[in-house]
Amino acid sequence: MNEHTARDVVLVRAIETADHNKEILSDDDRTYASRSARELAQWRAADRKAEATGDDFLQQRAEQILKRLAERHATFAGFLKQRSPLQPLAWALPLIGLLLGAGLDRITDPHRVDLLSAPLLLIIGWNLLVYAGLVIWLFVPSRPRVPHRLKAPRKLPPALSTAVMDFLREWSQLSAKLNAARLSRSVHLSAAAFAAGALASLYARGLLSQYAAGWESTFLDASQVHSLLSTLFAPATALLHLQDFTLAEIEALRFPQTTAAAGGARWVHLYAATIVLLVIAPRLLLAAISQWRAARLMRHFPLDLEQPYFRKLRDAMGMPQGGTLRVLPYSFTIDEQRHRGLQQLAVEMLGEQGRLMLRPSTAYGEAPQVSDDAEVTSTAALFNLTATPEQENHGAFLDALSKALPRGVTVLLDESAYLERMGPERLAERVALWQEFCRFHRTTASVVNLQVPA
């Protein structure tokens, strides 16, 4: 599944999940979309002389639903046409870098090649520092990204507005790696363009001016400058066989000079070769790696299609999968009625062949005892909605599950006890609190009533 299809599918999932009361999409809308998608997927698969897949069905169904909603809501149609600001930025940043690099060299003496040129030394030094930072960053553990508070498009029905906000939050997390690869590509290209612009300006100015080579320093003597430049230009002299220099030559080029200096082109070539080897070539290589990562993620977007929502849709396509739903209650005793509700929920989520694996409840404040099991289709943490989410308890429980289960975990919130105690008046407020809490811990929450599963 490519990026564009995944975006549509995630958006439709957010809409159907938020549309509890069927205000946005009626049952007829959903049934029609599934039936049409099944026929279109089979028809296109027949053209390819292949079997229809779940990806084909999800793509066609998402297109059908989004098209219908765009016809009903003009504002939503405008939202669908929006494009990421990273696309124009990807081309603008390298161009800006090229122009800035060309302008940076203009602040130096137009008739002199300074062997201790501050702009050129800064370009080299900064990039070497960046390379060191990239190596260190490989060993820094990643941290959970906190979703930004986003503003929904105006003039949308409340349920659709909520769905759009949920989608934006979820998509920002799902596409984080892809956007990071794109941004990394643009940054590396910009750095390479900046250095190339400085070199282009240096050579262009040399066509119309006679460069005089030299150096001057208050604190460095000729031997120190010779050692510095020998180290700096070592890759260029070794790999490209450029002419080396001696201590006597460095001493002779120290300003002020009584005679006109010559040989400026030699030092221009040395600086140019060094910047190409230490800045432009590595940056282009890093940009190519980032582009490869971005292209791979665009073609094969990492969307987990084993989640219950997608498995249920595959059942609608006539591709029943079955599977096992593992439920991990937290500080929650499950009675017989709620146990039957969980069994029914497993069937609704995974199809008629869905099975329930109910684990013993984890005591308040304790860590979960769980491991990844290939036979388990989906794992859900079960909380009582009457509980107030706590970072050091419920949050630690979810973080431990996410770490132990690479395939991810979902959250089920049982509202039955809350409705008995508090009534429906403050239900929406409590649900919103839990959903925001779960998003912070990189998972999604669904509200269920285990006493009345239907």
Side-chain angles (χ1 to χ4, degrees):
M1 183 178 295
N2 60 34
E3 177 197 9
H4 177 74
T5 300
R7 187 180 187 273
D8 289 348
V9 169
V10 173
L11 177 56
V12 169
R13 180 177 65 177
I15 293 172
E16 292 192 277
T17 302
D19 189 20
H20 303 292
N21 299 324
K22 311 294 176 65
E23 299 174 359
I24 307 172
L25 293 168
S26 65
D27 288 330
D28 290 340
D29 291 332
R30 303 178 193 217
T31 302
Y32 174 80
S34 297
R35 183 173 62 250
S36 300
R38 182 169 57 249
E39 295 174 355
L40 287 172
Q42 293 172 349
W43 176 48
R44 295 193 177 185
D47 289 343
R48 300 194 308 265
K49 297 181 179 180
E51 294 291 332
T53 65
D55 287 6
D56 296 331
F57 171 72
L58 292 174
Q59 177 184 359
Q60 297 299 329
R61 187 175 185 275
E63 290 179 359
Q64 294 288 326
I65 290 177
L66 294 180
K67 180 180 178 181
R68 175 157 296 192
L69 291 178
E71 294 172 349
R72 295 175 179 175
H73 308 281
T75 304
F76 185 74
F79 169 76
L80 294 178
K81 295 178 182 179
Q82 291 180 1
R83 292 294 177 263
S84 171
L86 290 178
Q87 294 180 352
L89 193 64
W91 298 101
L93 282 179
L95 179 59
I96 294 173
L98 181 67
L99 297 176
L100 290 177
L104 178 67
D105 186 58
R106 291 294 177 179
I107 66 176
T108 59
D109 189 341
H111 299 286
R112 171 180 167 182
V113 177
D114 191 347
L115 272 62
L116 299 177
S117 171
L120 299 182
L121 289 175
L122 282 174
I123 290 175
I124 297 172
W126 169 253
N127 282 273
L128 293 178
L129 185 63
V130 169
Y131 302 152
L134 291 176
V135 173
I136 295 174
W137 190 255
L138 294 175
F139 301 95
V140 177
S142 60
R143 295 182 178 180
R145 293 180 174 86
V146 179
H148 298 289
R149 294 189 176 275
L150 302 168
K151 188 176 182 180
R154 298 179 178 178
K155 299 180 180 179
L156 286 179
L160 187 54
S161 178
T162 300
V164 169
M165 286 194 295
D166 291 342
F167 160 74
L168 291 175
R169 293 190 191 96
E170 183 178 10
W171 185 250
S172 67
Q173 295 180 354
L174 292 175
S175 61
K177 290 185 178 180
L178 175 56
N179 290 333
R182 286 169 170 165
L183 183 60
S184 176
R185 175 196 60 196
S186 298
V187 169
H188 290 311
L189 285 177
S190 300
F194 183 84
L199 293 185
S201 177
L202 192 64
Y203 275 103
R205 185 149 49 85
L207 294 175
L208 303 176
S209 302
Q210 173 64 43
Y211 281 136
W215 65 277
E216 57 184 350
S217 175
T218 302
F219 303 105
L220 301 178
D221 57 27
S223 62
Q224 293 172 321
V225 173
H226 178 264
S227 299
L228 173 64
L229 295 180
S230 296
T231 303
L232 181 65
F233 296 144
T237 55
L239 297 177
L240 302 180
H241 306 291
L242 296 180
Q243 183 182 356
D244 205 350
F245 45 88
T246 63
L247 176 59
E249 289 178 299
I250 297 297
E251 180 67 44
L253 291 175
R254 184 167 188 170
F255 285 113
Q257 297 168 332
T258 56
T259 58
R266 172 188 179 186
W267 300 98
V268 170
H269 296 328
L270 280 172
Y271 260 114
T274 300
I275 289 178
V276 168
L277 291 175
L278 298 183
V279 179
I280 297 179
R283 288 288 194 167
L284 290 179
L285 177 60
L286 290 172
I289 294 174
S290 297
Q291 170 60 24
W292 174 79
R293 289 175 178 171
R296 180 170 57 88
L297 290 172
M298 288 173 61
R299 291 192 302 269
H300 306 287
F301 193 86
L303 184 61
D304 183 11
L305 297 181
E306 292 302 317
Q307 297 179 16
Y309 170 85
F310 297 116
R311 296 180 67 87
K312 188 175 181 180
L313 285 180
R314 286 204 294 268
D315 288 346
M317 185 184 176
M319 301 171 61
Q321 300 293 324
T324 301
L325 171 65
R326 176 170 54 185
V327 177
L328 306 172
Y330 181 79
S331 185
F332 192 177
T333 301
I334 305 300
D335 56 24
E336 184 178 353
Q337 185 175 2
R338 288 185 173 88
H339 187 276
R340 289 196 298 268
L342 285 171
Q343 290 177 327
Q344 183 174 342
L345 187 63
V347 172
E348 291 182 358
M349 295 173 67
L350 303 176
E352 294 183 358
Q353 301 178 15
R355 300 180 300 276
L356 172 67
M357 179 191 295
L358 180 61
R359 301 298 302 273
S361 178
T362 301
Y364 180 79
E366 293 186 1
Q369 302 297 324
V370 65
S371 60
D372 197 21
D373 189 344
E375 296 182 358
V376 173
T377 305
S378 180
T379 300
L382 177 62
F383 296 107
N384 194 330
L385 195 62
T386 58
T388 301
E390 299 173 351
Q391 183 68 30
E392 63 275 12
N393 293 305
H394 304 87
F397 181 78
L398 288 177
D399 291 341
L401 286 179
S402 299
K403 186 176 181 180
L405 304 173
R407 289 184 293 171
V409 60
T410 58
V411 172
L412 298 176
L413 303 172
D414 181 25
E415 66 177 7
S416 57
Y418 186 90
L419 290 175
E420 289 179 358
R421 284 190 189 179
M422 310 295 294
E425 290 77 14
R426 302 182 61 182
L427 178 64
E429 181 180 347
R430 177 55 65 94
V431 169
L433 175 65
W434 266 101
Q435 289 180 335
E436 184 68 23
F437 180 81
C438 292
R439 278 193 291 265
F440 178 80
H441 291 278
R442 295 180 295 177
T443 186
T444 56
S446 298
V447 180
V448 295
N449 190 322
L450 296 181
Q451 291 187 341
V452 189

